[in-house]
Amino acid sequence: MMINKSNKKRGSSLLLASIVAPLLAGCNASDSKTENTASSPSQASQAVEEVMIYDFEQGEVLTEIKVNNGTPSITSDDLAISGKHSLLVEFTNSQASFSLRPNTPYDWSEYSDFNLAFDLTNKGTESVQLDLIISDIDGKSYTRGLVVPVGKTQTHYAKMDGHDQKEPVWAAQGEFNFESGFRSNPVTWQSDDKQAYSFWGTKRLNIAGIRGISFHAKGMLSDRQFTIDNVRLRQNPEMDKNFLVGVIDQFGQNAKVDYPGKIKSEEHLKQVTQAELDTLKGETMSDRSKFHGWKDGPKLEATGFFRTEKVEGKWALVDPEGYLYFSTGIDIIRLSNSSTMTGYGFDEKFIAKRTADMTVAEDDQPLNRVNDEAIPSRHVANEIRAKVFDWLPSYDDDLGNHFGYRRETQSGPLKEGETFSFYSANLERRYGETYKESYLDTWRNVTVRRMKDWGYTSLGNWSQDAYYGNNQIPFVAFADIIGEFGTLSSGFDFWHGVPDAFDPRFYERAVIAAEHVSAQINNTPWCMGVFMDNEQSFGRSTNRESLYGIVINTLGRDAAEVPGKAAFTKIIKDKYKTIDALNKAWAKDVASWDAFAKGIDASFNTDEQEKDYSELLYQYGVKYFSTVNKAMKSKMPNHLYLGSRLPLWGMPPEILRAAAENSDIITYNVYKEGVIPGQWDFLEGLDKPSLVGEFSFGSDDAGHVHPGIVIAADQKDRGLKLKNYLHSVIDNPYFVGAHMFQYSDGPIAGRAYDGENYNSGMVRITDVPYEHMVEAAKEVHKDLYPRRYGFLKK
């Protein structure tokens, strides 16, 4: 085996490709698939030191390099990262990729405890996010994320094996398992190199057959470039066995790293707080109406509530006084999602169970501290998780009121357990307490003043209902439709199965949810609209099986037990009349309509079948959105129905059409750099106002171990991305607003429900604003209405 150690000159890429790649490949793909599907530790035992795979010194683009929507080229001496040459990749489309796909898969099974490393630099003008996807011969892949800052060369790495196998106590806590409760774990050794952040996929790949290494850029607003060099395997350094111990300090910050804006003491926090309050004016921008519409623009019909209208080819919201209105806001201005699991639990006999008649989902509950009688039963339920925290108060401490409890979680170290909100505790530290929870009143007052100073026109989704009566800035309301009703499966039920909208109980529960929200908003004209549900798994466009998963899975069920199946059966029977006609159209052999109703093999055979599935999915969408709309308007007829916040991974065309026909505004959660020109042309056909319900950008320069879905190079870059995103929405004639996710950062140790731990906030966990984000928001908002509607005459 040719080993190219770090203290030796890197050889020719062609020589390495001709010598190293075949040796790495070893057995052929079919052999490795049968002999090593798990890449177990016993099979991987040799130290890798450093093995060069590509260093591009031959001065030519190798045949195994593929670039989609871009061009590769070999750099000259003065542009190379190291040596004489590197590979420059230029992306010329919003979605592009660069791949290394060897003719024979790499066989790395003889190695253990190693990582894949590569050097990246960016001599362009904007940072570029790359999703690193490594795939194996078993069809599995693991996606990680990284960002290449402008003007900086850095080594990035992704662990391929090891660190969670050496020590049994830590077996679940390495790179490949996140039962620690973090969405992406802290690094297991300290260095100047950057570990790629965990996203999704199969974490343990078959290292006996690595089929490809690819770098994807998705959702870019402009062309980008980066340079790559020295793609190599390296031995992992010795693992820090305490990498999860004492990570979080008393303020909820990362105790193990220093960074700008980090709070050092309570006195420091109070000083920073006073400095902000001294400059906070709380004044609405001068061109705004009472409801933050465009006072300097034309005045349309005033109805006393928010409505929509198409004005000279652009969709618009119209405020209660008749002024044009564009909704910019921030989500999660509340404490419910600020808590993190502590690793402690209680005797379950003291914990009240959830019941089917509840109207508030567990994740939307307030902190919910346990009763005093439960406290003596407090115990460590997960030792590793409990050791994450450098400090937690006792229950009789002045800050013990910020403990909570979650009776259920989606993922993480525990299925249920104690939580603590460092954000809430920091609010008490910042603002003090002159009467019970006075700090919350101060916080709400400060938040409204901030939103006005920063130029936002709305409070986004999931704002604490105590804000609803502020009468200074409009807001949106929300309800999850939960309780006892049937569900259907799309095959990718990310949060849960979708409601069986044909089940009469679904309408009943939708009415109850609407009643709950109606009581909160009390028919106030300050409510812009109401979201009902969030990110339903309606189907994915990966292939037709995932696109029509709701239909396929429902057709396999019994109509006697599933209302949705009964409805589908009636639709198909009404079309085909006879079972023979159906069998001919679908190339099936169903014995009778009774057999069809009982459940069939719904796999695809014909094009006609696909057309019918499309119609069934559309009819499901119509039933879902019309049912929710009817329920909401029965209790809140004056307010806009804002839809269900469709995720980009769950918006089939049939669902979009149904939403357009049965919603006042279609809402989307869009985690990209912005609304990409050309990708939203379908809005012209729908001709309906649209709104972005979620977007965000994050970095790791504020102590976070995971920046988020869309990665910025640093806080200044976050501000730039915020401006570019909002401008892309403002410039689109069909969008009437965008709400950023979220107000405060996610807990660094992960939010209680699912471990999400992103740097996604306008403010830190200490409630200190991010300066670059604030300045970016002010710049966008001072020109918001002239940019959007400046062509109109008053």
Side-chain angles (χ1 to χ4, degrees), residues 374-392:
I375 295 174
S377 71
R378 183 175 185 252
H379 60 274
V380 174
N382 185 307
E383 183 179 0
I384 292 174
R385 179 67 180 180
K387 288 183 176 180
V388 162
F389 304 96
D390 189 49
W391 172 91
L392 285 173

Short mmCIF file of all heavy atoms in Angstrom, two decimals, residues 374-392:
data_model
loop_
_atom_site.label_atom_id
_atom_site.label_comp_id
_atom_site.label_asym_id
_atom_site.label_seq_id
_atom_site.Cartn_x
_atom_site.Cartn_y
_atom_site.Cartn_z
N ALA A 374 -43.39 15.82 43.03
CA ALA A 374 -42.55 14.97 42.16
C ALA A 374 -41.07 15.19 42.40
O ALA A 374 -40.25 14.30 42.13
CB ALA A 374 -42.88 15.24 40.70
N ILE A 375 -40.70 16.34 42.92
CA ILE A 375 -39.28 16.73 43.00
C ILE A 375 -38.43 15.74 43.81
O ILE A 375 -37.30 15.41 43.39
CB ILE A 375 -39.15 18.16 43.56
CG1 ILE A 375 -39.78 19.15 42.55
CG2 ILE A 375 -37.69 18.53 43.81
CD1 ILE A 375 -39.86 20.57 43.05
N PRO A 376 -38.89 15.20 44.94
CA PRO A 376 -38.06 14.24 45.67
C PRO A 376 -37.71 12.99 44.87
O PRO A 376 -36.73 12.31 45.18
CB PRO A 376 -38.91 13.89 46.90
CG PRO A 376 -39.78 15.09 47.10
CD PRO A 376 -40.11 15.55 45.72
N SER A 377 -38.50 12.68 43.82
CA SER A 377 -38.22 11.48 43.01
C SER A 377 -37.27 11.76 41.86
O SER A 377 -36.98 10.86 41.06
CB SER A 377 -39.53 10.90 42.46
OG SER A 377 -40.07 11.73 41.44
N ARG A 378 -36.77 12.99 41.75
CA ARG A 378 -35.86 13.38 40.66
C ARG A 378 -34.61 12.49 40.69
O ARG A 378 -34.02 12.27 41.74
CB ARG A 378 -35.45 14.83 40.80
CG ARG A 378 -34.56 15.37 39.68
CD ARG A 378 -34.33 16.86 39.89
NE ARG A 378 -33.58 17.47 38.81
CZ ARG A 378 -32.32 17.90 38.88
NH1 ARG A 378 -31.66 17.77 40.03
NH2 ARG A 378 -31.73 18.45 37.83
N HIS A 379 -34.22 11.99 39.51
CA HIS A 379 -33.08 11.09 39.42
C HIS A 379 -32.43 11.23 38.06
O HIS A 379 -33.05 11.73 37.10
CB HIS A 379 -33.52 9.64 39.63
CG HIS A 379 -34.52 9.18 38.60
ND1 HIS A 379 -35.88 9.39 38.74
CD2 HIS A 379 -34.35 8.54 37.41
CE1 HIS A 379 -36.52 8.90 37.69
NE2 HIS A 379 -35.60 8.37 36.86
N VAL A 380 -31.18 10.81 37.96
CA VAL A 380 -30.47 10.81 36.68
C VAL A 380 -31.04 9.70 35.81
O VAL A 380 -30.97 8.52 36.17
CB VAL A 380 -28.97 10.63 36.88
CG1 VAL A 380 -28.27 10.50 35.52
CG2 VAL A 380 -28.38 11.80 37.65
N ALA A 381 -31.59 10.09 34.69
CA ALA A 381 -32.15 9.11 33.76
C ALA A 381 -31.19 8.81 32.61
O ALA A 381 -31.29 7.77 31.97
CB ALA A 381 -33.48 9.61 33.19
N ASN A 382 -30.27 9.72 32.34
CA ASN A 382 -29.26 9.53 31.30
C ASN A 382 -28.00 10.25 31.76
O ASN A 382 -27.91 11.48 31.70
CB ASN A 382 -29.75 10.09 29.96
CG ASN A 382 -28.79 9.81 28.81
OD1 ASN A 382 -27.61 10.13 28.90
ND2 ASN A 382 -29.29 9.26 27.73
N GLU A 383 -27.02 9.48 32.24
CA GLU A 383 -25.83 10.06 32.85
C GLU A 383 -25.03 10.90 31.88
O GLU A 383 -24.54 11.99 32.23
CB GLU A 383 -24.95 8.94 33.43
CG GLU A 383 -23.71 9.45 34.15
CD GLU A 383 -22.88 8.34 34.74
OE1 GLU A 383 -23.27 7.15 34.60
OE2 GLU A 383 -21.82 8.64 35.33
N ILE A 384 -24.87 10.43 30.66
CA ILE A 384 -24.08 11.17 29.68
C ILE A 384 -24.73 12.52 29.38
O ILE A 384 -24.06 13.55 29.33
CB ILE A 384 -23.92 10.34 28.39
CG1 ILE A 384 -23.05 9.12 28.66
CG2 ILE A 384 -23.34 11.19 27.26
CD1 ILE A 384 -22.95 8.17 27.51
N ARG A 385 -26.03 12.51 29.24
CA ARG A 385 -26.74 13.76 28.98
C ARG A 385 -26.63 14.71 30.17
O ARG A 385 -26.40 15.92 30.00
CB ARG A 385 -28.21 13.48 28.67
CG ARG A 385 -29.05 14.72 28.42
CD ARG A 385 -28.63 15.42 27.14
NE ARG A 385 -29.42 16.61 26.89
CZ ARG A 385 -29.27 17.41 25.85
NH1 ARG A 385 -28.35 17.15 24.96
NH2 ARG A 385 -30.02 18.48 25.69
N ALA A 386 -26.78 14.20 31.36
CA ALA A 386 -26.72 15.05 32.55
C ALA A 386 -25.36 15.72 32.69
O ALA A 386 -25.26 16.85 33.18
CB ALA A 386 -27.04 14.22 33.79
N LYS A 387 -24.29 15.04 32.24
CA LYS A 387 -22.95 15.59 32.36
C LYS A 387 -22.65 16.66 31.31
O LYS A 387 -21.60 17.31 31.37
CB LYS A 387 -21.92 14.46 32.27
CG LYS A 387 -21.88 13.57 33.51
CD LYS A 387 -20.78 12.53 33.38
CE LYS A 387 -20.67 11.69 34.65
NZ LYS A 387 -19.61 10.67 34.55
N VAL A 388 -23.54 16.84 30.35
CA VAL A 388 -23.35 17.87 29.33
C VAL A 388 -23.31 19.26 29.95
O VAL A 388 -22.62 20.15 29.48
CB VAL A 388 -24.49 17.79 28.27
CG1 VAL A 388 -24.58 19.08 27.46
CG2 VAL A 388 -24.25 16.59 27.34
N PHE A 389 -24.02 19.42 31.09
CA PHE A 389 -24.20 20.74 31.67
C PHE A 389 -23.19 21.03 32.77
O PHE A 389 -23.06 20.27 33.73
CB PHE A 389 -25.63 20.87 32.19
CG PHE A 389 -26.65 20.60 31.13
CD1 PHE A 389 -27.24 19.35 31.00
CD2 PHE A 389 -26.99 21.59 30.21
CE1 PHE A 389 -28.16 19.08 30.00
CE2 PHE A 389 -27.90 21.34 29.20
CZ PHE A 389 -28.48 20.09 29.08
N ASP A 390 -22.52 22.16 32.60
CA ASP A 390 -21.55 22.61 33.60
C ASP A 390 -22.27 23.13 34.85
O ASP A 390 -21.69 23.16 35.93
CB ASP A 390 -20.69 23.71 32.98
CG ASP A 390 -19.52 24.10 33.85
OD1 ASP A 390 -18.81 23.21 34.30
OD2 ASP A 390 -19.33 25.31 34.07
N TRP A 391 -23.54 23.52 34.68
CA TRP A 391 -24.32 24.10 35.78
C TRP A 391 -25.80 23.91 35.53
O TRP A 391 -26.28 24.07 34.40
CB TRP A 391 -24.02 25.59 35.89
CG TRP A 391 -24.89 26.34 36.87
CD1 TRP A 391 -24.65 26.57 38.18
CD2 TRP A 391 -26.16 26.97 36.58
NE1 TRP A 391 -25.68 27.29 38.74
CE2 TRP A 391 -26.62 27.55 37.78
CE3 TRP A 391 -26.95 27.08 35.44
CZ2 TRP A 391 -27.82 28.25 37.87
CZ3 TRP A 391 -28.15 27.76 35.52
CH2 TRP A 391 -28.58 28.34 36.72
N LEU A 392 -26.51 23.50 36.55
CA LEU A 392 -27.98 23.54 36.60
C LEU A 392 -28.34 23.98 38.02
O LEU A 392 -27.69 23.58 38.98
CB LEU A 392 -28.60 22.18 36.30
CG LEU A 392 -28.59 21.69 34.85
CD1 LEU A 392 -29.10 20.25 34.78
CD2 LEU A 392 -29.45 22.59 33.95
#
